[in-house]
Structures are given as structure tokens and as C-alpha cells.
Amino acid sequence: MPVVSTFRSGPHRTAVGVTAGLLAAFAALAVAELVAGLVRPAAGPVTVVGGALIDRTPPPVKDFAVRTFGEDDKTVLRLGILAVLALFAAALGIIALRRRWAGPGGVLLFGFIGAVAAASRPDAQGAGDVLPSLAGAAAGALALLVMREQAVRGATAQDAAGGTDGPDSSGEGAGGGATGGGQNRRGFLVAAGVTAAVATTGGLLGRYVSGHRARGAVASREGLVLPAPASPAPPVPRGVSLPVPGITPYTTRNADFYRVDTALVVPKVDAGAWRLRVRGKGVPRLRTFGLEDLLARPPIERDITLTCVSNEVGGPYAGNARWLGVRLDDLLAECGVVPPSRGGAADQLVARSVDGMTLGSPVEDVMDGRDAMLAVGMNGEPLPFDHGFPVRMLVPGLYGYVSACKWIEDIELTTFDAYDPYWVERKWARRAPVKTQSRIDTPKPFARIPAGTVTVAGVAWAQHRGITRVQIRVDDGPWQDADLAVQNTTDTWRQWSHRWPAAPGGHRITVRATDATGRVQTERRAPTVPDGATGRHSVFVTVT
Ligand SMILES: Nc1nc2c(c(=O)[nH]1)N[C@H]1C(S)=C(S)[C@@H](COP(=O)(O)O)O[C@H]1N2
Ligand SMILES: [Mo]
């Protein structure tokens, strides 16, 4: 057995390498996050690498991730990146003991990857983006070099004393004596301890700085007093909500509203500093609006159901809220925009967010009189940060990815020929009106329920067309009309329920909806890519 106090070879040496590698990586990340906190919180290496991965994820993989991890997908991605990083860091630490420059060189290579990822993000702004990764890598490389020198110093001293290489001739380790061993262990432990302490301090400081930066935005949200609507939403009729346990509530609470976006760090925009630019084809001169300017316009309040194109049949990515905002058609008209049907040059409105996301909507839809809006309020409070504070766009009847830009800061009038926004570049359709869908909320799939009368219930949506009929089929039986809740507006979903005399056995319940154009929801199954899933939701239950 080698003397324990040297790091010559074996499990002990491996442990030293792994420790050095992990600590160096920790120092690199901590310093990077600190620098990111100072220059740009969204430019932290894990964030930019995660973002770059999201940018390059093929739609089926993205859909798999959304399906499997739901709204935890970003946490899973972050943890995945950290796990991969830890593996490489451990390996680099081991290699560093053998080859002086290999470890630090490897760390710098990772820093370079982070910098490239940062520069390739759609919201990259320049030097500030690459700085965190480069500074972190420099710190990590230095830490690894120092720890490595300390770890091998004693062993090298033994080389001089012993004269010959041991079986472990690939590296610095040699000889069996303990000369300098105690010293090198102490030296390494000190270096490791200092690295850990510096990294922890840097990390905490980084958190503090980022938090401090966000404080202005948080205060601006808390201080925002929403104006009273000049055009209030019509009172929600009694009877939009059916008294069925387990049914999706008519109005989705903000905390329960689904969230789908690519932001690994939720943008925290200070409402006071927020500006919206409107520019492009048909806009004679660039116009800029602050939040004050927006709120000086007559606010409208509307109930609108938002759905995501990535929602599988029966999936959860739909929500209904009461939004407060200003009419987008009026604002565009005031800027000089004319819809294509009246000779306007631009047929695509590209909305851009502070995090570089781009979403393209048909100008015709936005200006055809529907309640397209720039929203500032959601269910009676300022937009939550997750949902786009201070301002987001909404266009009833269109999927979120072609209309619902959160953290919006720029509107460009252009053509569908001239520009493909983010998701269109990634194989999703240019135009994507919401498809008619219905969902069974209760009973749940594979529920075991006692025989007798069972209430089957759920929601159906076909925004901007409206739902006129929902039908239920049990096994291969006839389609039977469900009872519809009262329709509020055609821009929102509609609850339905059906009392089913359930006989013992296994049964499959299927639902289908008909929209106000008379079209029945298709049974043809289509995947979410490129313009929204089709097919009918069904659940299998066992009646006992
Ligand atoms: N800035 C930005 N806005 C965005 C997105 C995004 O990734 N970034 N995702 C869009 C998509 S795909 C949908 S479905 C809706 C979801 O809005 P929600 O998260 O408030 O439910 O936001 C849209 N707006
Ligand atoms: Mo979406």
C-alpha cells in the first residue's frame, strides 16, 4: 500500500484529482455567476449553454422534454448541464495531476464553449455576454493549477529523493517514501479550502448582486397601479362554471397558469425603464411608447383563453384569464399601419422580447377587429414576471408562439416572405390558428369508479370561433350530447359535463367538440409539430 499521505496513485490520488476538478468547476461557475450578476444575469454560463441547447433542440425532443418534465423541463436541463460539467470536471482534475497544463487547458476550453454559446444566443449584446464564461474559466483554471501544484509538490520531492519512477510512470508520482508527503497533503488541503471559500463567497455575492438588480423591477411591479378599464369585460355570465368536482376552473388563477417559454432566467424588466418600439413597413417613423404612454390609452379588459401549440391532445397547456390592456389595432393604426386587405405593405407583425424571442402574427388577424391587445394586467394584478411583466401581446384565436410575446419590447412590421421568427426557423408553421380541442378533466385516466351515475366533464376550446357542441362516446357506442356551460365569449373555452350511467367493466370514454363554423373536431391524429396536435381525447376507466 502506498503511504496514505502522498497522492502518488490509487484511490487516494483519484480522490484528490476529483476534488480538485470539482472545486475548480465550482469556482469557475461561482465567479462566472458573479460577473454575470454584475454585467448581465442572463449571461451566466449554465444559462447560455442551456439556452443554446434549447435553441438547437429538434421539435420532437423539445416536445418529449415538455411532455416528460412539464414545467420542470428547465430545472432538469440545468441539472443535466451541471451533471455533465461535474463529470468532465472530475476527469480534468485527475488528468491535471498527470499533466500540468491539461487540466487548466480543459477548463479554458469549457469557458470558450460557454462564451461561444453566449455569443450565439438571439439576445446576445456583445462583450458582456462572453465575459462571465471567460472570467469563470480563468478563475477555474487558476484554481485547478494551484491545487494541482500543491498536490504534486511533495510527490515530486520524493522523485528527487527516490530517483526512480514507480509503476505509475505516466505522471509525477513516484517512490514510496513519505518525504514531503505530509506537507503536500497540507498544501493541497489549504489550496482546496481557499478555493472552496472563495467560490462560496463569490457565489453568494453573485446571488446578492442578481437579486439587487431585480429589486428595481420587483418594486416597479409592486408600485404599478392598474387603471380601471374604459371597456370592461362583460360580466361573466352565471353558468359558465359547472359545479363538478375535478373540472378545470373557468378562470385559471395566475399561480396555476401554464408557463411555456425558452427563458432559463425569467427576465425582470423595470417598468419605469420599459420601452416599446414600433417600426418597419408602413410605419413612416419609428415610434416609442413607455408604460405611461400605454396606460394613457383607453384600457380594455377581456377574458381570453391562451393555448400552446405544444399541447398534446388532453394536455395541460391551456389557461383562461381576464386580461387588461390596450387595443393593438388602434395603436398600430395610429402608427400608420394598414392591414394587407386594405393595401398595407406588411402582412407579418414580428414581436421581439427583451430576451431575444421573436414571434410572428398575421397583421390581418391583429387588425381585423378582434381583441388583440398589449396586456399589462392578468386577473386583476400586474402581469406576473413569469407571464411577461410589464407588457405582453395577446391575439385571441392564435397559438401562443405566433402571438403571445411576453416581455415585449419591439414590434416590427414586415412580411412573411422576408422574415422567419424563432419557432418558424425551427420547423413550426408560419401561421397557426388554434385548433378545435376538447379535454376530459374527470374522471381521470385509469380511475376506478363505482357503478352508477358518473359525471364526465371537462373543457373545450376553439378560440375566436366558439364551441357550439360537445359530445361523448362510451366504447363504440353512439355520440351523445354533453351539457354545455354558458358561453362567455367565443375567445374563451367552455366547460361541459355529461351524466353517464356507468355499468361495471372497463370503458373508454371519448370526447369531441364542434365549433361555431359547424366543423367537428377531427379524429385524425396529428403531432404538435408543425401547427398543433389533432385527434380526440379519451380516458380508460374501470367501473366496479
Ligand atoms: N418572450 C417570450 N414570449 C413567449 C414565449 C417565449 O418563449 N418567450 N413563448 C410563447 C409560447 S410558445 C406560449 S404558448 C406563450 C405562453 O404564455 P404563458 O407562459 O404566459 O402561458 O407565450 C409565448 N410568448
Ligand atoms: Mo406555446
Side-chain angles (χ1 to χ4, degrees):
M1 281 295 288
V3 180
V4 169
S5 59
T6 70
F7 302 130
R8 222 165 47 80
S9 61
H12 203 111
R13 183 184 166 116
T14 306
V16 166
V18 168
T19 306
L22 291 179
L23 281 174
F26 176 35
L29 288 179
V31 168
E33 293 300 335
L34 172 58
V35 174
L38 290 168
V39 297
R40 227 183 133 209
V46 179
T47 306
V48 294
V49 168
L53 287 174
I54 292 175
D55 292 344
R56 287 161 186 77
T57 305
V61 179
K62 177 209 161 222
D63 269 22
F64 165 79
V66 169
R67 229 178 13 250
T68 313
F69 306 119
E71 305 197 2
D72 294 329
D73 56 349
K74 295 185 185 69
T75 313
V76 171
L77 178 62
R78 257 178 204 287
L79 291 177
I81 292 170
L82 288 175
V84 170
L85 215 53
L87 276 177
F88 276 100
L92 279 177
I94 295 170
I95 296 169
L97 292 184
R98 296 170 182 275
R99 308 215 181 287
R100 170 176 283 153
W101 297 109
V107 176
L108 290 175
L109 189 68
F110 271 85
F112 183 69
I113 293 174
V116 169
S120 78
R121 297 286 353 258
D123 59 339
Q125 290 167 358
D129 293 287
V130 298
L131 212 57
S133 291
L134 295 184
L142 180 68
L144 186 52
L145 192 62
V146 170
M147 283 184 281
R148 181 256 179 219
E149 293 305 313
Q150 292 302 326
V152 301
R153 200 166 58 188
T156 313
Q158 295 150 29
D159 282 1
T164 51
D165 272 5
D168 179 19
S169 56
S170 58
E172 338 283 323
T179 328
Q183 227 169 11
N184 87 45
R185 180 164 68 173
R186 222 172 300 123
F188 173 76
L189 289 179
V190 169
V194 169
T195 302
V198 169
T200 305
T201 313
L204 290 176
L205 211 59
R207 289 213 152 184
Y208 174 79
V209 172
S210 310
H212 189 77
R213 280 197 140 217
R215 224 168 289 160
V218 172
S220 77
R221 182 173 180 273
E222 280 161 4
L224 180 62
V225 180
L226 293 177
S231 165
V236 175
R238 291 159 136 291
V240 296
S241 295
L242 299 175
V244 178
I247 198 169
T248 302
Y250 175 73
T251 300
T252 314
R253 298 186 322 158
N254 289 355
D256 299 335
F257 207 96
Y258 80 95
R259 174 185 162 206
V260 171
D261 56 56
T262 58
L264 279 165
V265 171
V266 174
K268 296 266 167 69
V269 179
D270 190 318
W274 178 83
R275 295 287 179 275
L276 173 70
R277 291 183 304 271
V278 180
R279 64 198 170 96
K281 277 196 167 59
V283 183
R285 60 181 184 90
L286 176 125
R287 294 282 305 269
T288 306
F289 299 86
L291 196 62
E292 299 281 288
D293 307 322
L294 223 56
L295 297 181
R297 310 176 70 85
I300 61 170
E301 181 190 50
R302 295 291 183 266
D303 294 324
I304 296 169
T305 298
L306 181 62
T307 39
C308 180
V309 70
S310 292
N311 195 49
E312 301 281 331
V313 173
Y317 300 121
N320 181 51
R322 173 158 288 197
W323 310 90
L324 180 81
V326 300
R327 297 199 66 88
L328 188 50
D329 51 4
D330 289 351
L331 185 129
L332 290 173
E334 192 184 298
C335 295
V337 181
V338 173
S341 61
R342 288 195 275 123
D347 61 3
Q348 181 176 217
L349 179 159
V350 173
R352 216 172 245 101
S353 68
V354 300
D355 61 333
M357 173 53 64
T358 48
L359 301 86
S361 322
V363 175
E364 198 61 51
D365 293 350
V366 172
M367 298 187 79
D368 71 359
R370 71 182 78 191
D371 295 319
M373 65 161 103
L374 292 170
V376 293
M378 182 178 185
N379 290 327
E381 54 171 296
L383 287 177
F385 287 107
D386 280 357
H387 298 289
F389 181 84
V391 180
R392 79 175 304 166
M393 209 174 111
L394 289 170
V395 183
L398 304 184
Y399 283 121
Y401 86 103
V402 289
S403 65
C405 186
K406 306 194 275 189
W407 316 294
I408 191 172
E409 67 168 6
D410 184 83
I411 287 178
E412 183 184 0
L413 279 302
T414 179
T415 60
F416 279 102
D417 282 345
Y419 185 78
D420 283 340
Y422 187 90
W423 292 111
V424 176
E425 275 196 318
R426 288 159 179 80
K427 297 202 171 63
W428 297 82
R430 289 201 169 82
R431 297 170 186 264
V434 173
K435 295 179 178 177
T436 303
Q437 268 299 342
S438 48
R439 179 173 79 198
I440 299 169
D441 293 331
T442 179
K444 294 276 172 243
F446 308 111
R448 299 181 69 84
I449 40 186
T453 303
V454 172
T455 302
V456 183
V459 286
W461 60 81
Q463 288 94 309
H464 210 55
R465 298 185 298 278
I467 292 289
T468 52
R469 190 178 200 186
V470 171
Q471 294 165 296
I472 285 297
R473 181 170 69 177
V474 177
D475 302 322
D476 293 323
W479 288 101
Q480 300 173 60
D481 282 339
D483 296 323
L484 287 173
V486 172
Q487 172 148 297
N488 180 8
T489 78
T490 60
D491 291 341
T492 62
W493 57 19
R494 200 165 176 183
Q495 293 185 346
W496 56 267
S497 75
H498 177 69
R499 287 163 68 78
W500 167 45
H507 297 288
R508 179 164 294 283
I509 315 167
T510 308
V511 64
R512 72 178 189 192
T514 304
D515 70 19
T517 70
R519 212 164 312 155
V520 180
Q521 176 187 340
T522 178
E523 69 178 325
R524 197 174 53 82
R525 285 168 163 274
T528 56
V529 189
D531 61 357
T534 62
R536 292 173 182 160
H537 189 214
S538 69
V539 297
F540 184 85
V541 297
T542 304
V543 179
T544 53

